[in-house]
Amino acid sequence: MSRYNAAEIEARWQEAWEKAGIFTAERKEGKPKYYVLEMFPYPSGKLHMGHVRNYTMGDVIARYKLATGHNVLHPMGFDAFGMPAENAAMAIGGHPKTWTYNNIDDMVEQMKPLGLSLDWSRMFATCDPEYYGQQQALFLDFLDKGLVYRKNAVVNWDPVDMTVLANEQVEGGRGWRSGALVERKELTQWFFKISDMADELLGALDGLDNWPAKVKLMQANWIGKSRGLQFAFERADGGEPITVYTTRPDTLNGASFVGISPDHPIAKAMEGDAAVDAFLADARKGGTTEEAIETAEKLGFDTGIKVKHPLTGEELPVWIANFILMDYGTGAIFGCPAHDQRDLDFCRKYDLPVIDTFFALDDDTPVGKVAFVPAKSEKVRWVNHFAGLEEATGEEAINATIDFMEAKGLGEGVTKFRLRDWGLSRQRYWGCPIPVVHCEACGVVPEKKENLPVVLPDDVTFDVPGNPLDRHPTWRDVPCPSCGKAAKRETDTMDTFVDSSWYFARFTAPRAETPTNMEDAKYWMNVDQYIGGVEHAILHLLYARFFARAMQICGHLPESAKEPFDALFTQGMVTHAIYKTEGADGRPVYHYPEEVTLKDGKALLEDGREAEIVPSAKMSKSKNNVVNPLHIIEGYGADTARWFVLSDSPPERDVEWTASGAEAAHKHLGRVYRIASEIDAQATGSAADDTALLREMHKAIHDVTMGVESFGFNAAIAKLYGFTNALGKSKAGGAAKRQAAMVLAQLMSPMTPHLSEAVWEKLGGEGLCTLAPWPKADEAMLVDDEVILPIQINGKRRAEISVPKDMDKAEVEKLALAHEAVIKTLDGATPKKVIVVPGRIVNVVA
RNA sequence: GCCCAAGUGGCGGAAUGGUAGACGCAGGGGAUUCAAAAUCCCCCGCUGGUGACAGCGUGCCGGUUCGAGUCCGGCCUUGGGUACCA
């Protein structure tokens, strides 16, 4: 008997697959196509367990679809632009390009041993000029269709390094290198007009039946459609009225001030006054993230301007407030402190009045420190309401007020979206150059398509902060494509989200001379199954949905590909325990898993000290809890790694990597190999044993198929453990055992393809197990003749009876009531009710 | 702050509103062996009881239901996102 030798088996079958070319995708009519895609990786250089889990899940689907007769497209590439390459260049020298391409080579080296069914011939990186040149062509097409424009927007500005900072580079309101307090600064930047499609992007979510509900909900909330009232406050001094937008016009009686954004034209007009300038400088401190703005201390400045309440004529003060965003609504609001916590905090701080406009039905306590904000569906009691409301829900009140104000000609009902246009300009080198030229005479001039790609220059340095393209005269200075006079290239590059917003379309024709090839796009699109981390639930997926629409408008995708991902699955992270002790200086010391011995739930170091175990932490280099997939593959083989990342946790949840779990997975695979090896084809067994084994086999086919189709990989694997146990113990004859073992190999094949090929070959299977048609379950073999029904009395389980599976309700009820335990509990009384759920349960209500 | 999830034995987790704890890990007991490795078999939520059994038990509080881990309302904790990390 030979032992399971993963290294030998895996090398051999990977070579066999490659020789047969079975994963190279070509258009084939007459076979249903299936496009499975995992979110492509950033080439950090190190493959981690999260990647292994992501690609293994995709591979299970791809291999299952292959076995069920589909023409499968399963490509891989790299999302290769971005900050880490520039950071590496700054930290260790070298060039982002060298760093990136070396990392790509390393990662491909690390991925190949996993035995993924990938079509490597389609691979590309987004930093290939062949890719980003086509992206520049898309940009020019979008520009032509009015889908891109320029406007001012704020960025994080480091006043010491004189550079723009990414949100990630702002730590606690300070620049990560200089430590200077970050300011918000306006720059002219390029924007995609995604807000034009807000309503469509929202509405189309309804059709995405195979997307997780939570992702659709997050996107819907992000787009944030709201109906409100837009109206103007007349100024007491006769100046330009202040237009505000509110989603709660019903609380207009409770207005105690009007607030404007620090970027509002009125605020800007007041610049020059020392007190105003001091306040605005204060209000512009800190980063640009919504979190920073929302959690910052609320600051206000009384402009001295008064406005008239549109209904009462009462005067209200106008304040500049740092929490009001110019991007949303009109950049001006009225504050209603009684029913908005933020407004209340503001009014308490600056001693502005608080006016209750409604109370709960059974409580008329005035608002103190906590604003009264009931759900919009809850009925409340109104105080002297201007539209005549007495008792009504918030929703009813909003609609009634909008109608009232419209009838009076005081304002209009308006629909607004939270979604802002997508700013794509980045003041960085390692990205796709924006293909336009700034000419003094002609203004902004698009580069000619025949001059694409606008290639990044190689001769750049990162010894000073800022964008090296800005200080590269020979690259920057070019003649104007329109008039030919001296002009300057745009030195901003594109957001890396642009790169990842259309790569799925490029995979359908990765070497085409245009962004896509319509015939290939028509054949392969849509992505039938997209798989990636839930951290991309909003931005990446929304941008990709926008891009598919924009590409369709420009003729690069068919109408049918406007929603590019038919089904989406969001998977969890791979985590690992952290082993922590305290160093002499009191700071934590993190220990690598291989330095720790686990015994009785305790983590012991080599010197005998005990380390604290922090379970399920995200794998992170700084915490020393990273498990390198290569070590696992070298030690146990790729199939063990694949089996383990799928086995323990549901795919959408985080999985904790444990050494014992990997060991167990490996043992199990060895067991399967041994059981298959020991089958004696000549052995005979009883007909009953044969049938029993084949019943188990059909149940396994059914359950595993269901598991794979519904992303219940962990459940499918549990069934495979059960089926393996049944096969190991079975006294069935050799023929039945051989049949069962071959089906086992096939069912395991999506997860452990190498082992399956080895078992398949050993048992004399024809051709490759990978290509063998997926087995079908025989319905007749799935149901047992007898079922065991639990009997509950008042909801508590008291007994059970065994009955034929199709016995009718009355018969079952009679049997249940005749049961000893039931008679004893009822003690002569008649049951109030007996509920029989066929095949499930009997509940007797005493 | 706001939006979205998750929370079940010592651990990872299973369970179309219908027997809570499948399957695996760890632990305990046994078989095999000169011994070990490997392998195989049995036990394994908590409390009480020799035992049959009884009571309790799915983050916390409340509700709907014949019946709730599952549905509804309110909290707590952890994780993801928060528009320039990818």
Side-chain angles (χ1 to χ4, degrees), chain A residues 8 25 28-29 38 49 51 60 71 126 163 271 316 398 408 550 555 599 656 663 698 702 722 745 822:
Chain A
E8 198 180 287
K28 271 180 218 141
E29 306 305 331
E38 299 96 58
M49 275 299 166
H51 293 128
V60 170
N71 188 27
T126 55
T163 55
E271 282 181 27
L316 299 176
I398 291 165
K408 291 246 168 187
K599 197 153 190 278
E656 174 151 351
E663 177 77 39
H698 283 284
H702 177 262
V822 177

Side-chain angles (χ1 to χ4, degrees), chain A residues 729-770:
Chain A
K729 285 179 193 168
S730 174
K731 301 259 190 308
K737 279 193 172 181
R738 176 173 173 272
Q739 191 191 349
M742 288 182 75
V743 164
L744 176 63
Q746 281 189 279
L747 295 179
M748 289 176 72
S749 170
M751 295 106 169
T752 57
H754 315 85
L755 170 68
S756 289
E757 292 287 5
V759 168
W760 184 260
E761 184 191 43
K762 205 170 254 300
L763 295 171
E766 225 173 279
L768 290 166
C769 180
T770 302

